[in-house]
Amino acid sequence: MLIVIPEVFTREQVRGLRASLDAAEWVDGKVTAGHQSAQSKNNSQIPENHPVAREVGERILQSLGTHPLFRSAALPLKVFPPLFNRYAGGQTFGTHVDNAIRTHAASGGRIRTDLSCTLFFSDPEEYDGGDLVVEDTYGSKSVKLPAGDMILYPSTSLHHVTPVTRGARVSSFFWLQSMIRQDSQRSLLFDLDNAIQRVASNPATDVQRSVVQLTGVYHNLLRQWAEL
């Protein structure tokens, strides 16, 4: 399930955060790559413990914490502190699968990576190439979103970033452990939650019983599948 999370940040917020990111120190992106992905990874990153990375990362987590679509789609339990990368001058990242377990260098905390997140800080017209291509059950999906928007996709997916041939693609990337391990189960709960919200917004009184039934199904499935 690929879900676009729109407007994590407003255009004005993006401008301020992007200025901070551009002014930060950037290093070789291989510092956070696993053995296999390091062979195909060619980009720059802000060091994990850099003050700007911590500050902007905290802003991201605060915004997502109140974003109803993100919470419904991800059902987050643990979120890895956001990292930041930049592609320019032909840089790319070949096809790979994200590591199953991520360990935070500073805290030593570990998470199982159920979902991967890419939050864009560059608009599509700022650069050529740089598409995030995710392979799912229904084929390859190419993703290139406006600055401030984010894509959420299963960490089990093969994916790559095409070469950036003009300009720079700046984004945040991170992972989360969901209360629901299986993507198919999260998808079912997400559909149920959407149905509940749609029916609940209908002012007709005869939908009330349906709202109660759908809510009951949602919470009973969540009760069976949640891992805390």
Side-chain angles (χ1 to χ4, degrees):
M1 181 174 66
L2 277 69
I3 301 292
V4 173
I5 311 296
E7 298 180 345
V8 176
F9 292 117
T10 66
R11 308 298 294 178
E12 183 177 355
Q13 289 171 325
V14 167
R15 283 193 292 270
L17 296 173
R18 174 68 186 274
S20 296
L21 295 173
D22 287 345
E25 174 192 3
W26 292 82
V27 298
D28 192 325
K30 288 184 173 62
V31 294
T32 57
H35 174 71
Q36 181 181 11
S37 59
Q39 301 175 45
S40 59
K41 185 177 187 180
N42 179 19
N43 63 12
S44 301
Q45 285 183 206
I46 298 177
E48 190 173 322
N49 61 352
H50 194 286
V52 170
R54 294 200 301 267
E55 178 184 351
V56 179
E58 185 59 34
R59 291 280 302 277
I60 292 171
L61 297 182
Q62 289 173 355
S63 181
L64 290 175
T66 58
H67 200 299
L69 180 59
F70 170 77
R71 296 190 63 82
S72 178
L75 294 169
L77 177 62
K78 301 177 184 178
V79 183
F80 194 88
L83 302 172
F84 301 87
N85 60 21
R86 180 176 63 195
Y87 294 82
Q91 290 180 318
T92 184
F93 198 163
T95 301
H96 64 285
V97 173
D98 291 334
N99 290 351
I101 306 296
R102 301 293 308 198
T103 302
H104 188 241
S107 68
R110 296 191 301 171
I111 71 165
R112 183 187 66 239
T113 57
D114 295 326
L115 288 162
S116 300
C117 310
T118 298
L119 172 59
F120 290 81
F121 282 98
S122 300
D123 279 313
E125 59 269 21
E126 293 183 47
Y127 59 98
D128 292 334
D131 297 66
L132 171 65
V133 181
V134 182
E135 298 180 22
D136 70 2
T137 307
Y138 304 103
S140 297
K141 303 292 177 63
S142 183
V143 182
K144 196 172 184 178
L145 300 178
D149 289 4
M150 187 178 86
I151 186 71
L152 186 69
Y153 61 97
S155 298
T156 53
S157 305
L158 286 168
H159 57 283
H160 66 274
V161 177
T162 63
V164 173
T165 58
R166 178 187 65 86
R169 174 196 189 270
V170 178
S171 63
S172 175
F173 66 102
F174 53 101
W175 306 269
L176 65 88
Q177 181 173 330
S178 176
M179 291 186 289
I180 306 301
R181 182 193 296 257
Q182 295 296 326
D183 181 59
S184 60
Q185 295 173 342
R186 284 194 307 271
S187 180
L188 179 56
L189 288 169
F190 181 61
D191 289 345
L192 274 172
D193 193 26
N194 281 339
I196 291 167
Q197 300 305 320
R198 283 194 301 270
V199 176
S201 65
N202 190 322
T205 56
D206 60 355
V207 303
Q208 184 57 38
R209 180 172 175 79
S210 296
V211 172
V212 173
Q213 289 176 327
L214 282 170
T215 303
V217 170
Y218 176 84
H219 284 286
N220 286 332
L221 289 175
L222 184 59
R223 186 174 293 111
Q224 290 182 46
W225 294 339
E227 296 179 7
L228 304 179

